[in-house]
Amino acid sequence: MKVVDNSYIGSSDEVTVLLNKVEATFVKHFSNFKQGDGIKLLRPKRKRENHRVRFLSGFFCGFSIALIIAVALVMQTRKLLDKKDATLYLDSIFPLYNFYGYIILHMLLFAVNIYLWRCYKINYSFIILGFKPGTELDHREVFVLASGLTVVVLTTFLVHLHIRMDSTIQDHETYVELLPLGLLIGLVLICLCPFNIIYRSSRFFLIRSLFHCICAPFYKVKMVDFFLADQLTSQTQAIRSFVYYICYYGWGKALSPGRKMCHVSDVYVIFYYISAAIPFWIRFLQCMRRLIEEKDMKHGFNGFTYFSMLLSVVFQSTFRLRKKMTWKVWALASSVVAALANICWDIRMDWGLLQRNSRNFLLRDKLLLPHKSAYYIAMILEVLLRFVWLQLVLSFDMRPLRGKATTSTFACLEILRRGIWNVFRLENEHLNNVGEYRAFKSLPLPFITYDEKGGNAYIFGRITVLVT
């Protein structure tokens, strides 16, 4: 930048006049004559690296590892898995805490996604969120939130386990049962907190987008809305855990001395299985809204993929409720059809791969990742992980994994699949936007420097694309 500033271009009065004219034109047409907003877009402040975020990341990560070891030692030394009463109790509170486990895993994978997007210059903040430069969360901040939540959840679980299994302090059993509920209420209050703490703008943005998803199809579908709804389709087990919260506390099961397990209740079992269909129904409605507005049949085909998943969940649920071979056949057939339809759509449409005349065999012409093998591995994993959840229908005998462990393992694999999908989905969207000049009004050049006195970041140049 010193070379640029000392050159003719950096010191020319003519160039300065041209820059001022560009700024005036941009403010007039893109900022409604608001000088401040226009200048912020043309000369954004780059986010400085926060050392506090690095420190908290290491602290929470180390604390989480220590807590995981502590939980394992408590369960091993007290032999909780060998005691029948303790095992039954762990089965009853397990869904209360693995609800957070699914969310934490998704957040960690999303932090990895952001890191990869930044490495390969994918403009994720604008494509997904529409954020102004410098206002989005980076991968370190998402990791801090995930690791901090891990510390809180593990600490609560360790206290819960210690007090509940210690015979000398059984008088506090009633209050101990309220710990998971208090944790959930605390997290909800933090998300709704109006004060400018813990990334308020990002929290409110997430809540607003989630509200738009729930109210589909009454809101115009944007990229962030259907991207978030896609994430929800991989969190069906977390949604079921939330239904368990309602059963566990809403019906008084947690506070009654002779507590009856929720899975015995027919009403709970029905809602448990139906709740998994909610995210697919939301995506189906969003596709129908886009089909009506944009008159593009590809949204109709996309809606079919989610409707097939919806039918698959319904048939699976019916089979588990009635245990008849006829429903098992229907569940298996619908699941296979849904898996094949979604595999084809994900690889061909969402990722843009399997192009016939591409110079990269079975891929596409433009690739951002340097290694082509990553695309082939991703396609293989997409096929394998799509068919993994067929285990829930076929009920294979997997001796190391039984009961809730099996369900949790496959739920984590589905979240992992979604994390892989995110990387290539945004890469394809980024390439389509750049190639077709859509979505972007301006593309920042990478020449950014700092003013040593004021700490401001300046962009020397900027490519502006006027969208007609």
Side-chain angles (χ1 to χ4, degrees):
M1 290 305 301
K2 290 182 179 179
V3 175
V4 173
D5 291 336
N6 295 329
S7 66
Y8 174 77
I9 296 178
S11 58
S12 172
D13 293 336
E14 295 179 2
V15 174
T16 303
V17 172
L18 289 175
L19 287 175
N20 292 333
K21 289 183 178 180
V22 170
E23 289 181 358
T25 304
F26 186 88
V27 169
K28 177 181 177 181
H29 294 285
F30 293 95
S31 300
N32 297 324
F33 296 95
K34 296 180 181 179
Q35 184 75 16
D37 294 342
I39 297 302
K40 286 182 180 179
L41 289 173
L42 290 175
R43 303 178 183 270
K45 292 183 178 181
R46 186 178 180 182
K47 291 178 65 175
R48 283 186 175 276
E49 185 175 349
N50 194 336
H51 297 289
R52 181 173 55 187
V53 173
R54 281 182 174 270
F55 169 77
L56 290 177
S57 298
F59 177 76
F60 288 148
C61 186
F63 206 165
S64 300
I65 295 174
L67 288 172
I68 292 174
I69 296 175
V71 170
L73 290 176
V74 167
M75 297 181 68
Q76 180 65 28
T77 54
R78 297 189 180 185
K79 298 180 179 180
L80 299 181
L81 298 179
D82 299 331
K83 299 178 182 179
K84 184 177 181 180
D85 293 340
T87 303
L88 291 175
Y89 181 72
L90 288 176
D91 287 341
S92 67
I93 67 171
F94 183 75
L96 301 178
Y97 288 98
N98 67 2
F99 168 75
Y100 304 102
Y102 301 135
I103 297 176
I104 291 171
L105 176 60
H106 211 134
M107 293 175 66
L108 291 174
L109 288 175
F110 194 70
V112 175
N113 292 154
I114 294 176
Y115 175 77
L116 293 175
W117 292 331
R118 291 170 68 93
C119 286
Y120 297 109
K121 305 296 186 295
I122 298 174
N123 198 352
Y124 73 94
S125 62
F126 190 89
I127 295 174
I128 304 179
L129 309 176
F131 279 0
K132 295 178 181 180
T135 59
E136 74 283 355
L137 298 183
D138 61 18
H139 62 280
R140 295 188 185 90
E141 292 168 328
V142 176
F143 180 79
V144 165
L145 293 175
S147 57
L149 180 59
T150 304
V151 169
V152 175
V153 173
L154 288 175
T155 302
T156 305
F157 178 70
L158 188 61
V159 172
H160 190 166
L161 203 61
H162 175 71
I163 297 178
R164 181 61 179 79
M165 297 303 170
D166 195 336
S167 59
T168 60
I169 49 178
Q170 288 294 317
D171 297 337
H172 304 285
E173 179 180 357
T174 301
Y175 301 102
V176 171
E177 296 293 340
L178 296 176
L179 281 176
L181 180 62
L183 177 60
L184 180 63
I185 294 175
L187 292 177
V188 172
L189 292 178
I190 290 176
C191 292
L192 299 177
C193 178
F195 302 108
N196 192 16
I197 57 174
I198 315 180
Y199 310 114
R200 180 182 62 180
S201 60
S202 298
R203 287 189 284 110
F204 283 7
F205 183 85
L206 177 62
I207 294 172
R208 183 170 60 254
S209 300
L210 184 60
F211 179 77
H212 289 175
C213 291
I214 296 174
C215 295
F218 300 108
Y219 285 91
K220 183 178 178 60
V221 182
K222 300 180 180 179
M223 175 69 182
V224 63
D225 298 329
F226 65 78
F227 187 83
L228 178 59
D230 279 324
Q231 309 306 307
L232 294 178
T233 59
S234 297
Q235 286 288 356
T236 54
Q237 202 58 38
I239 296 174
R240 285 173 168 174
S241 298
F242 185 76
V243 174
Y244 184 79
Y245 261 98
I246 298 175
C247 168
Y248 196 82
Y249 291 104
W251 295 346
K253 305 296 183 185
L255 304 179
S256 58
R259 181 174 62 252
K260 181 182 178 181
M261 300 297 288
C262 279
H263 61 256
V264 178
S265 171
D266 294 336
V267 177
Y268 164 73
V269 172
I270 292 174
F271 277 100
Y272 176 84
Y273 289 118
I274 292 178
S275 61
I278 295 176
F280 302 107
W281 178 247
I282 291 174
R283 281 298 288 125
F284 174 72
L285 293 178
Q286 289 179 339
C287 291
M288 293 300 100
R289 170 73 185 248
R290 298 189 69 186
L291 175 62
I292 295 173
E293 288 185 343
E294 301 177 19
K295 302 294 189 298
D296 192 343
M297 280 305 300
K298 70 178 182 181
H299 300 305
F301 294 125
N302 194 17
F304 168 76
T305 62
Y306 290 103
F307 188 74
S308 64
M309 292 291 291
L310 180 64
L311 290 179
S312 174
V313 172
V314 171
F315 285 130
Q316 288 184 31
S317 303
T318 307
F319 162 67
R320 288 187 167 274
L321 290 173
R322 299 193 176 182
K323 301 293 184 181
K324 292 184 178 181
M325 183 57 65
T326 304
W327 290 111
K328 184 174 184 178
V329 173
W330 278 106
L332 178 60
S334 61
S335 299
V336 171
V337 172
L340 292 175
N342 281 271
I343 288 172
C344 295
W345 183 269
D346 287 347
I347 296 178
R348 183 65 178 85
M349 301 301 296
D350 286 343
W351 294 356
L353 303 178
L354 299 180
Q355 301 286 347
R356 291 184 178 180
N357 300 321
S358 173
R359 59 174 175 264
N360 300 309
F361 180 67
L362 293 180
L363 302 179
R364 49 176 136 79
D365 291 338
K366 295 182 179 180
L367 302 174
L368 293 183
L369 274 62
H371 302 290
K372 296 179 183 179
S373 59
Y375 296 91
Y376 298 114
I377 294 174
M379 288 191 288
I380 295 173
L381 290 177
E382 169 70 18
V383 175
L384 294 177
L385 294 178
R386 274 291 185 185
F387 280 100
V388 156
W389 53 269
L390 285 179
Q391 152 64 18
L392 302 177
V393 182
L394 300 175
S395 300
F396 291 123
D397 183 18
M398 303 181 66
R399 297 185 181 277
L401 299 174
R402 294 182 181 274
K404 291 182 174 62
T406 304
T407 304
S408 300
T409 301
F410 291 138
C412 292
L413 289 176
E414 170 58 22
I415 296 174
L416 175 62
R417 187 198 66 80
R418 181 60 61 184
I420 298 173
W421 179 88
N422 288 342
V423 176
F424 299 97
R425 176 67 179 90
L426 262 293
E427 180 204 15
N428 186 43
E429 185 71 18
H430 176 85
L431 293 175
N432 289 337
N433 284 340
V434 173
E436 300 178 13
Y437 300 101
R438 69 186 189 192
F440 293 99
K441 292 181 179 178
S442 55
L443 305 175
L445 293 177
F447 307 127
I448 302 175
T449 184
Y450 285 104
D451 181 5
E452 296 180 357
K453 297 181 179 179
N456 296 328
Y458 296 95
I459 295 180
F460 173 76
R462 194 175 189 90
I463 301 174
T464 302
V465 180
L466 302 181
V467 183
T468 59

